[in-house]
Amino acid sequence: QVALMESGGGSVQAGGSLRLSCAATGATYSVSCMGWFRQGLTSEREVIAGIDMRGSTTYADSVKGRFTISRDKAKNILYLQMDNLKPEDTAMYYCAADPFVDRSCLRSLSERIEYRGQGTQVTVSS
């Protein structure tokens, strides 16, 4: 089992930045993909960024060029740096992990998520 705990959400004005963190504990050796997904009040779940254990990253078009996913392998912490935030980025953001990878972690996590955190709210005002 893997436990994930997010932190770093909050409220920011459009154009601002936030950095989310996700601390992973437990059987982290079993994980092949980690990433972030978000869900707004009236929108479906959207996987926005993924990173595999080699450090290869993939992004959804909606955040490409604005968000950066990274991880500290030694500390088992996953990050999401979010720059140039827009009101449409407002959502609950969740950390995700899965033992499998299929071509890319963005694709894999869009199909299945074995572990997820409790989420952290991001609100962007115009």
Side-chain angles (χ1 to χ4, degrees), residues 18-90:
L18 283 172
R19 188 175 83 154
L20 306 183
S21 299
C22 170
T25 57
T28 56
Y29 56 84
S30 68
V31 168
S32 295
C33 274
M34 294 193 75
W36 295 90
F37 70 93
R38 66 187 181 185
Q39 187 157 17
L41 286 177
T42 58
S43 59
E44 294 185 353
R45 186 175 77 183
E46 179 188 19
V47 178
I48 56 173
I51 185 167
D52 66 22
M53 295 304 103
R54 297 171 301 172
S56 179
T57 59
T58 42
Y59 298 92
D61 289 342
S62 59
V63 305
K64 197 174 294 182
R66 299 188 298 122
F67 291 9
T68 303
I69 187 171
S70 62
R71 75 182 193 276
D72 184 325
K73 291 176 67 175
K75 297 180 179 178
N76 283 323
I77 299 177
L78 183 72
Y79 300 102
L80 184 68
Q81 177 66 41
M82 305 185 294
D83 298 317
N84 191 22
L85 282 160
K86 304 176 181 180
E88 51 264 43
D89 294 319
T90 295

